[in-house]
Amino acid sequence: MRVFGIFGASGCGRGIMPLARDAADRRDSDRLVFVDDALAGQTINGHAVVTLDDFMRIEAASRQIAIAIADPATRRRIAARCDALALDYFSVRAAQSVIMDDVALAQGALISPFVTLTSNIRIGAHFHANLYSYVEHDCVIGDFVTFAPGAACNGNVHIGDGAYIGAGAVIRQGTPGKPMRIGAGAVIGMGAVVTRDVADGQTVIGNPARLRIKAAGAP
């Protein structure tokens, strides 16, 4: 028996589990579980929820995990725990997604229905692409990047590790000699229209996207 774990039994994980369950390479003997320390002991959408420690105790010929947590920083911390246990990762891709020419996806990618990745794209580990998001040609995307539903990344864009692209956000196309750059850990707000580079760690909102200025005492 092989065992596969979806780490995270909240909204993101519940959206990924059916895709993992329907994967063409699954065998009848395979076991699929949620891994979630906070919700362990429950059964959610027909699948047992176990702790990470209990996942490691399941008798299996092999075990693999996919991290279905939308927040990039949290996903990175969980990956560090899994790496320490020498766990292997698997990717999940919806049958309704479209991946065209020369697209390189590193381990742990989660590709939801109606996502499109066009051509000549390089994407790092543990990428999340939610419903109806797309990445156009000649983009380079780092590790632990999240695209929320409907996020639009046009051609010649470079996105740093751990960036979060909000629902319905649009990133303007760059050029081969001057790609648009979204920095590591940057957050692009829901519906933002990004027309210029965003530095590491910045949060931008609005149309056109501008740096979010926090009011005194605001979180």
Side-chain angles (χ1 to χ4, degrees):
M1 180 185 73
R2 304 182 301 176
V3 61
F4 296 85
I6 300 297
F7 199 116
S10 295
C12 182
R14 285 182 276 119
I16 292 299
M17 178 61 86
L19 307 179
R21 190 170 58 234
D22 294 342
D25 63 348
R26 293 287 178 265
R27 306 169 186 166
D28 290 341
S29 60
D30 289 344
R31 185 178 178 191
L32 276 165
V33 298
F34 285 113
V35 180
D36 193 316
D37 293 345
L39 299 174
Q42 301 184 40
T43 298
I44 295 178
N45 293 357
H47 295 272
V49 185
V50 301
T51 67
L52 182 57
D53 288 343
D54 285 341
F55 179 72
M56 298 301 297
R57 295 188 187 104
I58 297 172
E59 291 189 15
S62 66
R63 71 189 77 242
Q64 297 180 54
I65 200 160
I67 306 173
I69 303 291
D71 177 67
T74 303
R75 196 155 74 247
R76 184 188 294 273
R77 289 195 297 270
I78 292 168
R81 291 179 62 193
C82 295
D83 290 345
L85 295 168
L87 274 169
D88 292 326
Y89 298 100
F90 70 101
S91 296
V92 177
R93 176 190 170 187
Q96 304 92 335
S97 63
V98 177
I99 297 180
M100 298 182 186
D101 288 338
D102 192 18
V103 175
L105 277 162
Q107 64 182 359
L110 304 183
I111 308 299
S112 292
F114 312 111
V115 168
T116 299
L117 310 176
T118 64
S119 65
N120 304 87
I121 296 166
R122 299 293 176 265
I123 299 177
H126 303 289
F127 175 61
H128 281 201
N130 215 317
L131 299 160
Y132 292 99
S133 58
Y134 72 77
V135 180
E136 260 288 3
H137 61 87
D138 300 297
C139 288
V140 178
I141 295 174
D143 299 335
F144 301 101
V145 172
T146 296
F147 276 38
C153 178
N154 291 293
N156 290 295
V157 175
H158 290 189
I159 300 178
D161 294 349
Y164 183 95
I165 315 301
V170 178
I171 303 173
R172 180 180 66 83
Q173 181 167 325
T175 65
K178 189 178 181 182
M180 283 283 293
R181 296 187 181 276
I182 308 299
V187 175
I188 309 302
M190 179 176 63
V193 177
V194 180
T195 59
R196 63 183 68 185
D197 291 352
V198 178
D200 292 354
Q202 285 189 338
T203 295
V204 297
I205 58 176
N207 179 8
R210 300 182 185 277
L211 184 64
R212 180 190 176 201
I213 305 298
K214 294 181 181 179

Short mmCIF file of all heavy atoms in Angstrom, two decimals, residues 6 19 30 42 53 56 68 70 74 79 95 102 130 160 166 173 205 207-208:
data_model
loop_
_atom_site.label_atom_id
_atom_site.label_comp_id
_atom_site.label_asym_id
_atom_site.label_seq_id
_atom_site.Cartn_x
_atom_site.Cartn_y
_atom_site.Cartn_z
N ILE A 6 -2.52 14.81 2.29
CA ILE A 6 -2.76 16.23 1.97
C ILE A 6 -2.61 16.99 3.28
O ILE A 6 -3.44 16.83 4.18
CB ILE A 6 -4.15 16.46 1.37
CG1 ILE A 6 -4.33 15.66 0.07
CG2 ILE A 6 -4.38 17.95 1.12
CD1 ILE A 6 -3.40 16.05 -1.04
N LEU A 19 -8.92 16.28 -6.25
CA LEU A 19 -8.01 16.18 -7.40
C LEU A 19 -7.00 15.06 -7.19
O LEU A 19 -6.69 14.30 -8.11
CB LEU A 19 -7.27 17.51 -7.61
CG LEU A 19 -8.14 18.76 -7.73
CD1 LEU A 19 -7.27 19.99 -7.92
CD2 LEU A 19 -9.13 18.61 -8.88
N ASP A 30 -4.20 2.31 -2.74
CA ASP A 30 -3.62 3.53 -2.16
C ASP A 30 -4.54 4.08 -1.07
O ASP A 30 -5.76 3.96 -1.14
CB ASP A 30 -3.43 4.61 -3.23
CG ASP A 30 -2.31 4.28 -4.20
OD1 ASP A 30 -1.50 3.41 -3.89
OD2 ASP A 30 -2.27 4.91 -5.27
N GLN A 42 -10.67 13.55 13.32
CA GLN A 42 -11.92 13.74 12.60
C GLN A 42 -11.88 12.98 11.27
O GLN A 42 -10.83 12.53 10.81
CB GLN A 42 -12.17 15.22 12.33
CG GLN A 42 -12.25 16.09 13.58
CD GLN A 42 -12.58 17.52 13.23
OE1 GLN A 42 -13.40 17.80 12.36
NE2 GLN A 42 -11.94 18.46 13.92
N ASP A 53 2.88 13.08 12.97
CA ASP A 53 3.53 11.93 13.61
C ASP A 53 2.80 10.64 13.28
O ASP A 53 3.42 9.61 12.98
CB ASP A 53 3.59 12.13 15.12
CG ASP A 53 4.60 13.19 15.54
OD1 ASP A 53 5.48 13.53 14.71
OD2 ASP A 53 4.51 13.68 16.68
N MET A 56 3.43 9.34 9.82
CA MET A 56 4.71 8.63 9.70
C MET A 56 4.61 7.20 10.23
O MET A 56 5.44 6.35 9.88
CB MET A 56 5.81 9.39 10.43
CG MET A 56 6.09 10.78 9.88
SD MET A 56 6.58 10.76 8.12
CE MET A 56 8.11 9.82 8.20
N ALA A 68 -1.10 21.62 1.31
CA ALA A 68 -2.22 22.42 0.82
C ALA A 68 -2.56 23.52 1.82
O ALA A 68 -3.63 23.55 2.42
CB ALA A 68 -3.43 21.54 0.54
N ALA A 70 -2.44 27.74 1.93
CA ALA A 70 -2.32 28.85 0.98
C ALA A 70 -1.25 29.86 1.38
O ALA A 70 -0.61 30.46 0.51
CB ALA A 70 -3.66 29.55 0.83
N THR A 74 3.64 29.90 6.05
CA THR A 74 3.23 28.69 6.76
C THR A 74 3.61 27.45 5.97
O THR A 74 4.09 26.45 6.52
CB THR A 74 1.72 28.71 7.01
OG1 THR A 74 1.38 29.89 7.75
CG2 THR A 74 1.28 27.49 7.80
N ALA A 79 6.99 22.62 5.22
CA ALA A 79 7.96 21.92 4.37
C ALA A 79 9.24 21.62 5.14
O ALA A 79 9.84 20.55 4.96
CB ALA A 79 8.27 22.73 3.12
N ALA A 95 -7.38 17.78 -14.06
CA ALA A 95 -7.51 17.40 -15.46
C ALA A 95 -7.94 18.57 -16.33
O ALA A 95 -7.62 18.62 -17.52
CB ALA A 95 -8.52 16.25 -15.58
N ASP A 102 7.22 23.61 -22.76
CA ASP A 102 8.43 23.93 -22.02
C ASP A 102 8.12 24.62 -20.69
O ASP A 102 8.60 25.71 -20.39
CB ASP A 102 9.36 24.81 -22.88
CG ASP A 102 10.76 24.94 -22.28
OD1 ASP A 102 11.12 24.11 -21.43
OD2 ASP A 102 11.48 25.89 -22.67
N ASN A 130 -4.42 28.56 -7.92
CA ASN A 130 -5.83 28.31 -7.64
C ASN A 130 -6.69 28.55 -8.88
O ASN A 130 -6.20 28.97 -9.93
CB ASN A 130 -6.27 29.18 -6.45
CG ASN A 130 -7.29 28.48 -5.57
OD1 ASN A 130 -8.20 27.84 -6.07
ND2 ASN A 130 -7.13 28.62 -4.26
N GLY A 160 9.55 36.45 -6.88
CA GLY A 160 10.45 35.90 -5.88
C GLY A 160 9.79 34.90 -4.96
O GLY A 160 8.56 34.77 -4.91
N GLY A 166 -2.89 37.96 -4.98
CA GLY A 166 -4.28 37.90 -4.53
C GLY A 166 -5.27 37.61 -5.64
O GLY A 166 -4.98 37.71 -6.84
N GLN A 173 2.62 42.77 -18.24
CA GLN A 173 3.69 42.08 -18.95
C GLN A 173 4.96 42.91 -18.94
O GLN A 173 4.95 44.14 -19.14
CB GLN A 173 3.26 41.80 -20.39
CG GLN A 173 4.32 41.05 -21.19
CD GLN A 173 3.76 40.53 -22.50
OE1 GLN A 173 2.59 40.13 -22.57
NE2 GLN A 173 4.57 40.51 -23.54
N ILE A 205 -1.73 47.40 -3.21
CA ILE A 205 -3.17 47.26 -3.40
C ILE A 205 -3.64 48.30 -4.41
O ILE A 205 -2.97 49.30 -4.64
CB ILE A 205 -3.94 47.44 -2.06
CG1 ILE A 205 -3.62 48.81 -1.46
CG2 ILE A 205 -3.61 46.34 -1.08
CD1 ILE A 205 -4.43 49.12 -0.19
N ASN A 207 -5.72 49.93 -8.05
CA ASN A 207 -5.55 50.03 -9.49
C ASN A 207 -5.32 51.49 -9.87
O ASN A 207 -6.24 52.30 -9.77
CB ASN A 207 -6.80 49.50 -10.20
CG ASN A 207 -6.71 49.59 -11.71
OD1 ASN A 207 -5.66 49.92 -12.26
ND2 ASN A 207 -7.82 49.31 -12.39
N PRO A 208 -4.07 51.83 -10.25
CA PRO A 208 -2.89 50.96 -10.29
C PRO A 208 -2.41 50.63 -8.88
O PRO A 208 -2.68 51.37 -7.92
CB PRO A 208 -1.87 51.80 -11.05
CG PRO A 208 -2.26 53.21 -10.74
CD PRO A 208 -3.76 53.20 -10.66
#
